[in-house]
PDB file of all heavy atoms in Angstrom:
ATOM      1  N   GLY C   1      -2.658 -55.949 -75.685  1.00 60.00           N
ATOM      2  CA  GLY C   1      -1.229 -55.766 -75.628  1.00 60.00           C
ATOM      3  C   GLY C   1      -0.576 -56.048 -74.282  1.00 60.00           C
ATOM      4  O   GLY C   1       0.509 -55.530 -73.988  1.00 60.00           O
ATOM      5  N   ASP C   2      -1.199 -56.896 -73.500  1.00 56.00           N
ATOM      6  CA  ASP C   2      -0.628 -57.182 -72.147  1.00 56.00           C
ATOM      7  C   ASP C   2       0.329 -58.382 -72.146  1.00 56.00           C
ATOM      8  O   ASP C   2       0.814 -58.795 -71.123  1.00 56.00           O
ATOM      9  CB  ASP C   2      -1.745 -57.447 -71.167  1.00 56.00           C
ATOM     10  CG  ASP C   2      -2.602 -58.647 -71.449  1.00 56.00           C
ATOM     11  OD1 ASP C   2      -2.378 -59.329 -72.510  1.00 56.00           O
ATOM     12  OD2 ASP C   2      -3.519 -58.994 -70.683  1.00 56.00           O
ATOM     13  N   GLY C   3       0.634 -58.905 -73.319  1.00 60.00           N
ATOM     14  CA  GLY C   3       1.628 -59.981 -73.383  1.00 60.00           C
ATOM     15  C   GLY C   3       1.096 -61.377 -73.299  1.00 60.00           C
ATOM     16  O   GLY C   3       1.815 -62.359 -73.414  1.00 60.00           O
ATOM     17  N   ASP C   4      -0.259 -61.543 -73.123  1.00 59.00           N
ATOM     18  CA  ASP C   4      -0.824 -62.860 -73.083  1.00 59.00           C
ATOM     19  C   ASP C   4      -2.039 -62.882 -73.969  1.00 59.00           C
ATOM     20  O   ASP C   4      -2.494 -61.885 -74.422  1.00 59.00           O
ATOM     21  CB  ASP C   4      -1.119 -63.377 -71.693  1.00 59.00           C
ATOM     22  CG  ASP C   4      -2.163 -62.554 -70.997  1.00 59.00           C
ATOM     23  OD1 ASP C   4      -3.224 -62.333 -71.527  1.00 59.00           O
ATOM     24  OD2 ASP C   4      -1.930 -61.990 -69.861  1.00 59.00           O
ATOM     25  N   PHE C   5      -2.622 -64.085 -74.160  1.00 57.00           N
ATOM     26  CA  PHE C   5      -3.757 -64.274 -75.042  1.00 57.00           C
ATOM     27  C   PHE C   5      -4.930 -64.862 -74.268  1.00 57.00           C
ATOM     28  O   PHE C   5      -5.798 -65.531 -74.785  1.00 57.00           O
ATOM     29  CB  PHE C   5      -3.422 -65.205 -76.228  1.00 57.00           C
ATOM     30  CG  PHE C   5      -2.201 -64.744 -77.034  1.00 57.00           C
ATOM     31  CD1 PHE C   5      -0.970 -65.269 -76.790  1.00 57.00           C
ATOM     32  CD2 PHE C   5      -2.408 -63.794 -77.996  1.00 57.00           C
ATOM     33  CE1 PHE C   5       0.131 -64.852 -77.534  1.00 57.00           C
ATOM     34  CE2 PHE C   5      -1.293 -63.329 -78.739  1.00 57.00           C
ATOM     35  CZ  PHE C   5      -0.036 -63.881 -78.492  1.00 57.00           C
ATOM     36  N   ASN C   6      -5.013 -64.590 -72.966  1.00 62.00           N
ATOM     37  CA  ASN C   6      -5.979 -65.216 -72.112  1.00 62.00           C
ATOM     38  C   ASN C   6      -7.151 -64.270 -71.754  1.00 62.00           C
ATOM     39  O   ASN C   6      -8.063 -64.720 -71.065  1.00 62.00           O
ATOM     40  CB  ASN C   6      -5.342 -65.670 -70.797  1.00 62.00           C
ATOM     41  CG  ASN C   6      -4.202 -66.703 -71.075  1.00 62.00           C
ATOM     42  OD1 ASN C   6      -4.322 -67.545 -71.942  1.00 62.00           O
ATOM     43  ND2 ASN C   6      -3.085 -66.584 -70.308  1.00 62.00           N
ATOM     44  N   ASP C   7      -7.106 -63.050 -72.182  1.00 57.00           N
ATOM     45  CA  ASP C   7      -8.158 -62.117 -71.821  1.00 57.00           C
ATOM     46  C   ASP C   7      -9.359 -62.343 -72.743  1.00 57.00           C
ATOM     47  O   ASP C   7      -9.262 -62.842 -73.870  1.00 57.00           O
ATOM     48  CB  ASP C   7      -7.695 -60.663 -71.988  1.00 57.00           C
ATOM     49  CG  ASP C   7      -6.460 -60.392 -71.126  1.00 57.00           C
ATOM     50  OD1 ASP C   7      -6.529 -60.691 -69.914  1.00 57.00           O
ATOM     51  OD2 ASP C   7      -5.420 -59.951 -71.663  1.00 57.00           O
ATOM     52  N   PRO C   8     -10.561 -62.022 -72.244  1.00 59.00           N
ATOM     53  CA  PRO C   8     -11.812 -62.259 -72.988  1.00 59.00           C
ATOM     54  C   PRO C   8     -11.793 -61.539 -74.363  1.00 59.00           C
ATOM     55  O   PRO C   8     -12.380 -62.078 -75.332  1.00 59.00           O
ATOM     56  CB  PRO C   8     -12.921 -61.707 -72.091  1.00 59.00           C
ATOM     57  CG  PRO C   8     -12.302 -61.795 -70.705  1.00 59.00           C
ATOM     58  CD  PRO C   8     -10.872 -61.520 -70.869  1.00 59.00           C
ATOM     59  N   GLU C   9     -11.157 -60.383 -74.401  1.00 58.00           N
ATOM     60  CA  GLU C   9     -11.177 -59.640 -75.711  1.00 58.00           C
ATOM     61  C   GLU C   9     -10.148 -60.156 -76.667  1.00 58.00           C
ATOM     62  O   GLU C   9     -10.156 -59.806 -77.886  1.00 58.00           O
ATOM     63  CB  GLU C   9     -10.953 -58.148 -75.440  1.00 58.00           C
ATOM     64  CG  GLU C   9      -9.616 -57.808 -74.828  1.00 58.00           C
ATOM     65  CD  GLU C   9      -9.674 -57.766 -73.336  1.00 58.00           C
ATOM     66  OE1 GLU C   9     -10.548 -58.472 -72.725  1.00 58.00           O
ATOM     67  OE2 GLU C   9      -8.879 -57.061 -72.717  1.00 58.00           O
ATOM     68  N   ASP C  10      -9.165 -60.957 -76.235  1.00 55.00           N
ATOM     69  CA  ASP C  10      -8.176 -61.506 -77.137  1.00 55.00           C
ATOM     70  C   ASP C  10      -8.796 -62.494 -78.140  1.00 55.00           C
ATOM     71  O   ASP C  10      -9.803 -63.143 -77.817  1.00 55.00           O
ATOM     72  CB  ASP C  10      -7.074 -62.188 -76.360  1.00 55.00           C
ATOM     73  CG  ASP C  10      -6.221 -61.190 -75.566  1.00 55.00           C
ATOM     74  OD1 ASP C  10      -6.250 -60.035 -75.916  1.00 55.00           O
ATOM     75  OD2 ASP C  10      -5.551 -61.657 -74.564  1.00 55.00           O
ATOM     76  N   LEU C  11      -8.205 -62.565 -79.269  1.00 60.00           N
ATOM     77  CA  LEU C  11      -8.702 -63.543 -80.308  1.00 60.00           C
ATOM     78  C   LEU C  11      -7.788 -64.764 -80.372  1.00 60.00           C
ATOM     79  O   LEU C  11      -6.609 -64.646 -80.527  1.00 60.00           O
ATOM     80  CB  LEU C  11      -8.720 -62.813 -81.686  1.00 60.00           C
ATOM     81  CG  LEU C  11      -9.584 -61.539 -81.806  1.00 60.00           C
ATOM     82  CD1 LEU C  11      -9.444 -60.891 -83.167  1.00 60.00           C
ATOM     83  CD2 LEU C  11     -11.064 -61.911 -81.502  1.00 60.00           C
ATOM     84  N   THR C  12      -8.445 -65.904 -80.210  1.00 62.00           N
ATOM     85  CA  THR C  12      -7.681 -67.173 -80.214  1.00 62.00           C
ATOM     86  C   THR C  12      -7.336 -67.494 -81.674  1.00 62.00           C
ATOM     87  O   THR C  12      -7.916 -66.917 -82.664  1.00 62.00           O
ATOM     88  CB  THR C  12      -8.494 -68.321 -79.622  1.00 62.00           C
ATOM     89  OG1 THR C  12      -9.634 -68.532 -80.427  1.00 62.00           O
ATOM     90  CG2 THR C  12      -8.930 -67.946 -78.202  1.00 62.00           C
ATOM     91  N   GLN C  13      -6.429 -68.488 -81.830  1.00 58.00           N
ATOM     92  CA  GLN C  13      -6.084 -68.954 -83.195  1.00 58.00           C
ATOM     93  C   GLN C  13      -7.283 -69.535 -83.885  1.00 58.00           C
ATOM     94  O   GLN C  13      -7.488 -69.354 -85.089  1.00 58.00           O
ATOM     95  CB  GLN C  13      -4.944 -69.930 -83.118  1.00 58.00           C
ATOM     96  CG  GLN C  13      -4.440 -70.387 -84.499  1.00 58.00           C
ATOM     97  CD  GLN C  13      -3.276 -71.313 -84.426  1.00 58.00           C
ATOM     98  OE1 GLN C  13      -2.975 -71.910 -83.369  1.00 58.00           O
ATOM     99  NE2 GLN C  13      -2.574 -71.464 -85.508  1.00 58.00           N
ATOM    100  N   GLY C  14      -8.117 -70.249 -83.122  1.00 61.00           N
ATOM    101  CA  GLY C  14      -9.347 -70.852 -83.735  1.00 61.00           C
ATOM    102  C   GLY C  14     -10.287 -69.777 -84.227  1.00 61.00           C
ATOM    103  O   GLY C  14     -10.864 -69.937 -85.282  1.00 61.00           O
ATOM    104  N   GLU C  15     -10.468 -68.724 -83.437  1.00 65.00           N
ATOM    105  CA  GLU C  15     -11.349 -67.640 -83.862  1.00 65.00           C
ATOM    106  C   GLU C  15     -10.800 -66.938 -85.116  1.00 65.00           C
ATOM    107  O   GLU C  15     -11.546 -66.568 -86.035  1.00 65.00           O
ATOM    108  CB  GLU C  15     -11.517 -66.638 -82.779  1.00 65.00           C
ATOM    109  CG  GLU C  15     -12.345 -67.165 -81.560  1.00 65.00           C
ATOM    110  CD  GLU C  15     -12.328 -66.250 -80.358  1.00 65.00           C
ATOM    111  OE1 GLU C  15     -11.350 -65.466 -80.227  1.00 65.00           O
ATOM    112  OE2 GLU C  15     -13.291 -66.245 -79.612  1.00 65.00           O
ATOM    113  N   GLN C  16      -9.498 -66.763 -85.126  1.00 65.00           N
ATOM    114  CA  GLN C  16      -8.857 -66.114 -86.314  1.00 65.00           C
ATOM    115  C   GLN C  16      -9.023 -67.002 -87.554  1.00 65.00           C
ATOM    116  O   GLN C  16      -9.283 -66.492 -88.647  1.00 65.00           O
ATOM    117  CB  GLN C  16      -7.382 -65.891 -86.028  1.00 65.00           C
ATOM    118  CG  GLN C  16      -7.132 -64.744 -85.088  1.00 65.00           C
ATOM    119  CD  GLN C  16      -7.361 -63.394 -85.788  1.00 65.00           C
ATOM    120  OE1 GLN C  16      -8.485 -62.930 -85.837  1.00 65.00           O
ATOM    121  NE2 GLN C  16      -6.245 -62.798 -86.287  1.00 65.00           N
ATOM    122  N   ASN C  17      -8.824 -68.304 -87.385  1.00 66.00           N
ATOM    123  CA  ASN C  17      -8.949 -69.202 -88.531  1.00 66.00           C
ATOM    124  C   ASN C  17     -10.422 -69.245 -89.041  1.00 66.00           C
ATOM    125  O   ASN C  17     -10.639 -69.303 -90.226  1.00 66.00           O
ATOM    126  CB  ASN C  17      -8.510 -70.579 -88.164  1.00 66.00           C
ATOM    127  CG  ASN C  17      -6.990 -70.728 -88.054  1.00 66.00           C
ATOM    128  OD1 ASN C  17      -6.267 -69.960 -88.668  1.00 66.00           O
ATOM    129  ND2 ASN C  17      -6.550 -71.696 -87.258  1.00 66.00           N
ATOM    130  N   THR C  18     -11.372 -69.189 -88.114  1.00 71.00           N
ATOM    131  CA  THR C  18     -12.773 -69.155 -88.478  1.00 71.00           C
ATOM    132  C   THR C  18     -13.077 -67.928 -89.271  1.00 71.00           C
ATOM    133  O   THR C  18     -13.789 -67.933 -90.287  1.00 71.00           O
ATOM    134  CB  THR C  18     -13.670 -69.221 -87.237  1.00 71.00           C
ATOM    135  OG1 THR C  18     -13.418 -70.467 -86.586  1.00 71.00           O
ATOM    136  CG2 THR C  18     -15.123 -69.137 -87.666  1.00 71.00           C
ATOM    137  N   ALA C  19     -12.570 -66.735 -88.849  1.00 71.00           N
ATOM    138  CA  ALA C  19     -12.755 -65.490 -89.532  1.00 71.00           C
ATOM    139  C   ALA C  19     -12.111 -65.568 -90.917  1.00 71.00           C
ATOM    140  O   ALA C  19     -12.631 -65.083 -91.907  1.00 71.00           O
ATOM    141  CB  ALA C  19     -12.246 -64.339 -88.709  1.00 71.00           C
ATOM    142  N   ARG C  20     -10.928 -66.134 -91.003  1.00 74.00           N
ATOM    143  CA  ARG C  20     -10.218 -66.204 -92.313  1.00 74.00           C
ATOM    144  C   ARG C  20     -10.954 -67.117 -93.257  1.00 74.00           C
ATOM    145  O   ARG C  20     -11.085 -66.840 -94.462  1.00 74.00           O
ATOM    146  CB  ARG C  20      -8.821 -66.674 -92.067  1.00 74.00           C
ATOM    147  CG  ARG C  20      -7.963 -66.783 -93.343  1.00 74.00           C
ATOM    148  CD  ARG C  20      -6.495 -66.839 -93.028  1.00 74.00           C
ATOM    149  NE  ARG C  20      -5.990 -65.548 -92.535  1.00 74.00           N
ATOM    150  CZ  ARG C  20      -4.760 -65.231 -92.290  1.00 74.00           C
ATOM    151  NH1 ARG C  20      -3.843 -66.155 -92.476  1.00 74.00           N
ATOM    152  NH2 ARG C  20      -4.389 -64.104 -91.826  1.00 74.00           N
ATOM    153  N   ASP C  21     -11.492 -68.256 -92.743  1.00 77.00           N
ATOM    154  CA  ASP C  21     -12.277 -69.162 -93.573  1.00 77.00           C
ATOM    155  C   ASP C  21     -13.534 -68.478 -94.033  1.00 77.00           C
ATOM    156  O   ASP C  21     -14.034 -68.679 -95.160  1.00 77.00           O
ATOM    157  CB  ASP C  21     -12.597 -70.424 -92.814  1.00 77.00           C
ATOM    158  CG  ASP C  21     -13.336 -71.458 -93.624  1.00 77.00           C
ATOM    159  OD1 ASP C  21     -12.728 -71.886 -94.638  1.00 77.00           O
ATOM    160  OD2 ASP C  21     -14.427 -71.822 -93.257  1.00 77.00           O
ATOM    161  N   PHE C  22     -14.133 -67.649 -93.180  1.00 77.00           N
ATOM    162  CA  PHE C  22     -15.351 -66.923 -93.529  1.00 77.00           C
ATOM    163  C   PHE C  22     -15.075 -65.942 -94.685  1.00 77.00           C
ATOM    164  O   PHE C  22     -15.843 -65.899 -95.660  1.00 77.00           O
ATOM    165  CB  PHE C  22     -15.813 -66.123 -92.285  1.00 77.00           C
ATOM    166  CG  PHE C  22     -17.065 -65.297 -92.562  1.00 77.00           C
ATOM    167  CD1 PHE C  22     -18.320 -65.860 -92.446  1.00 77.00           C
ATOM    168  CD2 PHE C  22     -16.954 -63.962 -92.872  1.00 77.00           C
ATOM    169  CE1 PHE C  22     -19.484 -65.122 -92.685  1.00 77.00           C
ATOM    170  CE2 PHE C  22     -18.140 -63.170 -93.089  1.00 77.00           C
ATOM    171  CZ  PHE C  22     -19.386 -63.785 -92.999  1.00 77.00           C
ATOM    172  N   GLU C  23     -13.939 -65.266 -94.657  1.00 79.00           N
ATOM    173  CA  GLU C  23     -13.558 -64.328 -95.728  1.00 79.00           C
ATOM    174  C   GLU C  23     -13.306 -65.103 -97.053  1.00 79.00           C
ATOM    175  O   GLU C  23     -13.641 -64.668 -98.113  1.00 79.00           O
ATOM    176  CB  GLU C  23     -12.355 -63.531 -95.340  1.00 79.00           C
ATOM    177  CG  GLU C  23     -12.611 -62.540 -94.207  1.00 79.00           C
ATOM    178  CD  GLU C  23     -13.693 -61.489 -94.566  1.00 79.00           C
ATOM    179  OE1 GLU C  23     -13.656 -61.025 -95.748  1.00 79.00           O
ATOM    180  OE2 GLU C  23     -14.565 -61.203 -93.689  1.00 79.00           O
ATOM    181  N   TYR C  24     -12.640 -66.247 -96.892  1.00 82.00           N
ATOM    182  CA  TYR C  24     -12.350 -67.090 -98.105  1.00 82.00           C
ATOM    183  C   TYR C  24     -13.613 -67.571 -98.794  1.00 82.00           C
ATOM    184  O   TYR C  24     -13.780 -67.523-100.028  1.00 82.00           O
ATOM    185  CB  TYR C  24     -11.487 -68.274 -97.690  1.00 82.00           C
ATOM    186  CG  TYR C  24     -11.116 -69.167 -98.840  1.00 82.00           C
ATOM    187  CD1 TYR C  24      -9.981 -68.848 -99.646  1.00 82.00           C
ATOM    188  CD2 TYR C  24     -11.786 -70.341 -99.133  1.00 82.00           C
ATOM    189  CE1 TYR C  24      -9.606 -69.678-100.730  1.00 82.00           C
ATOM    190  CE2 TYR C  24     -11.432 -71.142-100.157  1.00 82.00           C
ATOM    191  CZ  TYR C  24     -10.294 -70.831-100.969  1.00 82.00           C
ATOM    192  OH  TYR C  24      -9.947 -71.637-102.014  1.00 82.00           O
ATOM    193  N   ARG C  25     -14.562 -67.971 -97.962  1.00 81.00           N
ATOM    194  CA  ARG C  25     -15.823 -68.483 -98.562  1.00 81.00           C
ATOM    195  C   ARG C  25     -16.669 -67.341 -99.144  1.00 81.00           C
ATOM    196  O   ARG C  25     -17.595 -67.655 -99.966  1.00 81.00           O
ATOM    197  CB  ARG C  25     -16.617 -69.278 -97.490  1.00 81.00           C
ATOM    198  CG  ARG C  25     -15.961 -70.600 -97.152  1.00 81.00           C
ATOM    199  CD  ARG C  25     -16.819 -71.369 -96.127  1.00 81.00           C
ATOM    200  NE  ARG C  25     -16.249 -72.699 -95.908  1.00 81.00           N
ATOM    201  CZ  ARG C  25     -16.534 -73.772 -96.615  1.00 81.00           C
ATOM    202  NH1 ARG C  25     -17.364 -73.687 -97.629  1.00 81.00           N
ATOM    203  NH2 ARG C  25     -15.999 -74.941 -96.352  1.00 81.00           N
ATOM    204  N   LYS C  26     -16.424 -66.165 -98.771  1.00 83.00           N
ATOM    205  CA  LYS C  26     -17.190 -65.027 -99.355  1.00 83.00           C
ATOM    206  C   LYS C  26     -16.725 -64.650-100.729  1.00 83.00           C
ATOM    207  O   LYS C  26     -17.379 -63.885-101.410  1.00 83.00           O
ATOM    208  CB  LYS C  26     -17.114 -63.821 -98.404  1.00 83.00           C
ATOM    209  CG  LYS C  26     -17.995 -63.924 -97.158  1.00 83.00           C
ATOM    210  CD  LYS C  26     -17.702 -62.808 -96.184  1.00 83.00           C
ATOM    211  CE  LYS C  26     -17.856 -61.431 -96.800  1.00 83.00           C
ATOM    212  NZ  LYS C  26     -17.636 -60.347 -95.834  1.00 83.00           N
ATOM    213  N   ILE C  27     -15.554 -65.122-101.148  1.00 88.00           N
ATOM    214  CA  ILE C  27     -14.964 -64.819-102.442  1.00 88.00           C
ATOM    215  C   ILE C  27     -15.945 -65.403-103.551  1.00 88.00           C
ATOM    216  O   ILE C  27     -16.280 -66.586-103.535  1.00 88.00           O
ATOM    217  CB  ILE C  27     -13.597 -65.350-102.653  1.00 88.00           C
ATOM    218  CG1 ILE C  27     -12.649 -64.755-101.610  1.00 88.00           C
ATOM    219  CG2 ILE C  27     -13.055 -65.005-104.061  1.00 88.00           C
ATOM    220  CD1 ILE C  27     -11.288 -65.383-101.613  1.00 88.00           C
TER     221      ILE C  27
END
């Protein structure tokens, strides 16, 4: 919650899309 997405613990859009695709393929 520091206002940017550059910290190591932040999740990038690519990581989020990968996780979402992972959940879709598990259906």
